[in-house]
Amino acid sequence: MDASWQSICRIDDIPVLGARVVARQAMPNVAIFRNAENKVFALLDQCPHKQGPLSQGIVFGERVACPLHNWNIELGTGCAHAPDEGCTTTFRVKLEDECVFLDAGELHSLGAN
C-alpha cells in the first residue's frame, strides 16, 4: 500500500445511500458517501451554498441533496447541479479489498480542489 493513502474504514461501515463523517482537527469535516452501486466518494462536509452538512443529505445516483435547501451536489466533482452554482472540495478516495482510503496529504489539507 502506498504510504500516501490513509485507511479510513471498511465499505460496510458506510450505509448504502448514506455517509460517514471523518473529523479533522481544526478543519471542516470530510464526508465519505456510498451510493447504491457501492461507488465511494469524498467531499468536504459543507454545501457550497450555506455550508450545510452534506453528510446528512440524501444520496441518489451520484448526487447528494443538501439537507438545508435541497441543492443537488455531484459526488464526483463536488459541484452543484444547474441551475444552482458553486462547488465544494473533493478528496481522492480509493477502495481496495473492501477498505476505503483517502489521500493522506489531502486529508490533512483542504483537499483536491
Side-chain angles (χ1 to χ4, degrees):
M1 175 61 53
D2 187 286
S4 67
W5 292 97
Q6 183 172 331
S7 176
I8 302 299
C9 63
R10 297 192 53 76
I11 191 169
D12 291 337
D13 295 332
I14 307 167
V16 174
L17 302 179
R20 178 181 176 115
V21 174
V22 178
R24 301 188 303 167
Q25 189 172 22
M27 285 189 276
N29 294 337
V30 174
I32 303 175
F33 300 91
R34 177 181 176 190
N35 73 3
E37 291 79 36
N38 287 326
K39 291 183 182 176
V40 180
F41 306 88
L43 300 174
L44 193 68
D45 194 17
Q46 293 181 336
C47 178
H49 178 225
K50 299 276 186 179
Q51 287 68 54
L54 293 175
S55 60
Q56 295 178 23
I58 297 171
V59 175
F60 59 101
E62 293 192 8
R63 295 183 188 165
V64 61
C66 177
L68 294 185
H69 300 103
N70 206 35
W71 276 35
N72 292 318
I73 308 300
E74 297 284 343
L75 292 170
T77 65
C79 293
H81 190 267
D84 299 320
E85 296 179 353
C87 296
T88 192
T89 302
T90 60
F91 293 81
R92 293 190 320 145
V93 61
K94 75 176 179 178
L95 184 61
E96 188 173 287
D97 298 326
E98 302 297 310
C99 290
V100 176
F101 295 86
L102 291 180
D103 180 295
E106 290 177 1
L107 187 60
H108 299 292
S109 68
L110 290 180
N113 61 352

